[in-house]
Amino acid sequence: YSTTAMKANPSIFISSLLTKALYAGNAALFVFFFAESFNVAKVVDIEGFCTFQSPEYVGKMNIYISLSYLWTILLFDKMRLSMIATIVGSWHFHPEDRASMGVAIKNVFPSFGTLSISALIASVAEYLNQLMNQNSWTSWIPPTLFVTAPLKILTLCFGGCLQMLVTMFTKFTVIIHVFTGESFMPSARNVCKILKRHFKGGFVTELTSKSVLTLGSYA
């Protein structure tokens, strides 16, 4: 059904290209500012010799920039989802009065608060998943291998499931928000009610759609 919707509404690809353009511009700014941070230095006197040293605030600012970059990536993803949901939703519920690309873009602005909260929650889950997926050198050194390896596997599974669940929850919340016009919390409550009945289908849909799109991008 999603494939049929994409075929009937080619403007979906235009919305994806628009958000990709935002993503590319944001990525360019991130790389520029992150690279320039290495040029920020102060001259200090160490035992009678002058040398350059990076200020402490540079490291803190790099953490802030990196986390902000993660949030903006997910925010653009929610914006793209909002535009697609507007187009597909109007096509499904009101085929005689489909929403245009301009309407889909215009609807993003009053939804900015809900999209921002959804992106923030998703970015926290993504950050935790990345922490749990970091390589641990102690897992490969006997005899700690038998102690840390099972724990590492559990954290990997937990992080992956948590990230997938939060992504699914925030994605469906955005879709319900677009369809109903309600704010984040009422939309989230409606999603909880829906997932109580269709949790398995929702989880499978989220996982398979992500896998198909990833495979398509590689192809």
Side-chain angles (χ1 to χ4, degrees):
Y1 193 78
S2 298
T3 306
T4 304
M6 293 173 67
K7 181 180 179 182
N9 300 277
S11 57
I12 288 176
F13 297 99
I14 300 176
S15 66
S16 298
L17 289 175
L18 289 175
T19 52
K20 283 295 182 181
L22 291 174
Y23 169 79
N26 183 55
L29 289 175
F30 168 75
V31 171
F32 173 76
F33 283 105
F34 192 83
E36 286 296 318
S37 68
F38 292 98
N39 296 327
V40 179
K42 62 180 179 180
V43 179
V44 295
D45 184 3
I46 300 178
E47 298 180 355
F49 294 95
C50 292
T51 184
F52 292 107
Q53 190 177 82
S54 179
E56 293 182 0
Y57 66 83
V58 173
K60 297 178 181 179
M61 286 301 298
N62 281 338
I63 295 175
Y64 171 77
I65 292 173
S66 300
L67 293 176
S68 300
Y69 179 58
L70 174 61
W71 173 74
T72 51
I73 289 175
L74 295 173
L75 175 61
F76 293 149
D77 182 66
K78 302 303 179 187
M79 292 170 61
R80 177 186 59 83
L81 177 62
S82 173
M83 289 188 280
I84 292 175
T86 300
I87 295 172
V88 175
S90 64
W91 166 79
H92 174 78
F93 294 109
H94 305 286
E96 73 287 348
D97 186 23
R98 301 186 192 183
S100 63
M101 191 66 232
V103 172
I105 295 175
K106 186 175 67 175
N107 287 345
V108 170
F109 295 99
S111 301
F112 193 79
T114 298
L115 301 179
S116 299
I117 296 174
S118 300
L120 179 62
I121 296 173
S123 62
V124 172
E126 180 69 28
Y127 179 68
L128 292 176
N129 186 36
Q130 292 297 328
L131 287 179
M132 294 178 182
N133 277 274
Q134 288 181 352
N135 292 327
S136 177
W137 59 270
T138 56
S139 298
W140 309 103
I141 301 178
T144 58
L145 171 65
F146 300 101
V147 178
T148 57
L151 180 61
K152 183 67 175 178
I153 293 173
L154 288 175
T155 56
L156 290 173
C157 293
F158 177 77
C161 289
L162 177 65
Q163 192 266 340
M164 185 63 66
L165 286 171
V166 173
T167 301
M168 176 184 68
F169 179 80
T170 54
K171 178 179 289 187
F172 290 161
T173 299
V174 170
I175 293 174
I176 292 295
H177 161 74
V178 172
F179 287 177
T180 63
E182 295 180 333
S183 59
F184 179 82
M185 290 307 297
S187 299
R189 284 193 290 267
N190 289 330
V191 169
C192 289
K193 294 177 183 177
I194 294 172
L195 290 180
K196 285 180 180 178
R197 303 190 301 270
H198 306 289
F199 174 78
K200 181 179 178 181
F203 190 85
V204 171
T205 300
E206 173 62 28
L207 184 61
T208 53
S209 61
K210 182 178 180 180
S211 300
V212 170
L213 290 174
T214 302
L215 179 62
S217 63
Y218 277 117

